[in-house]
Amino acid sequence: MAMPSREFLWDIFRRFDRDGSGTITANELQQALSNGSWTPFNPETVRVMIGMFDRNNCGAINFNDFGSLWKYVVDWQNCFRSFDRDNSGNIDKDELKQALITFGYRLSDNLVSLLVRKFDRNGQGTIYFDDFIQCCVVLSTLTNSFRTYDTDMDGVIQIHYEQFLTMVFSARV
């Protein structure tokens, strides 16, 4: 997908930057994004996304970082739509499992069910767009943390409790 024009992105950025500060905060981004269910975008997902693109560590993104965030959201939206096979606007357990297999994860049905329960804010057995992003980002981040200890890449590690806690709490999720 080609990157939209600078003028297009500037127009979107100005609409998101409601206070005219020249940066977009998590609150402004949350108000501007749609998860397809007429509910506010998950604040935790927004926090993670701001953190990923906030190069100045100020809790907001400037226009230069906005283009990357915009592409990130559009790419996730296209990904989500490709796995929402029934066009319901959400991902069920089977659709999530197929997405994870495509991403290279081979997880048990029990773990996929656990992920759905963990990231289903509405208690309906499905995951909306914003929660899908968060689920995938958390899974990827924890997998990368695990791999730092899995030096022989056999899917098994042996660590002490404190190493485990360090690994989990150091993960940027």
Side-chain angles (χ1 to χ4, degrees), residues 9 25 33-34 42 54 69 75 79 84 88-89 92 100 103 105 110-111 116 120 122 126 128-129 141 154 172-173:
L9 287 175
T25 64
L33 294 175
S34 170
N42 184 332
D54 175 14
L69 180 132
D75 287 348
C79 176
D84 179 16
S88 62
D92 65 22
L100 296 176
F103 299 156
Y105 295 100
N110 287 341
L111 187 53
V116 170
D120 172 17
N122 298 322
T126 60
Y128 286 99
F129 173 56
T141 302
D154 67 353
R172 288 191 58 147
V173 289

Side-chain angles (χ1 to χ4, degrees), residues 49-107:
M49 290 191 315
I50 290 285
M52 291 172 72
F53 294 97
D54 175 14
R55 290 190 217 138
N56 300 329
N57 290 323
C58 64
I61 56 169
N62 60 31
F63 179 68
N64 292 331
D65 300 330
F66 180 69
S68 299
L69 180 132
W70 180 262
K71 182 177 182 335
Y72 183 80
V73 170
V74 168
D75 287 348
W76 272 116
Q77 189 175 44
N78 291 332
C79 176
F80 179 85
R81 287 179 179 153
S82 73
F83 292 111
D84 179 16
R85 303 216 189 278
D86 60 0
N87 294 317
S88 62
N90 54 55
I91 298 278
D92 65 22
K93 180 185 151 205
D94 294 332
E95 291 167 329
L96 179 62
K97 183 168 186 165
Q98 190 57 51
L100 296 176
I101 287 170
T102 302
F103 299 156
Y105 295 100
R106 303 285 186 253
L107 305 176

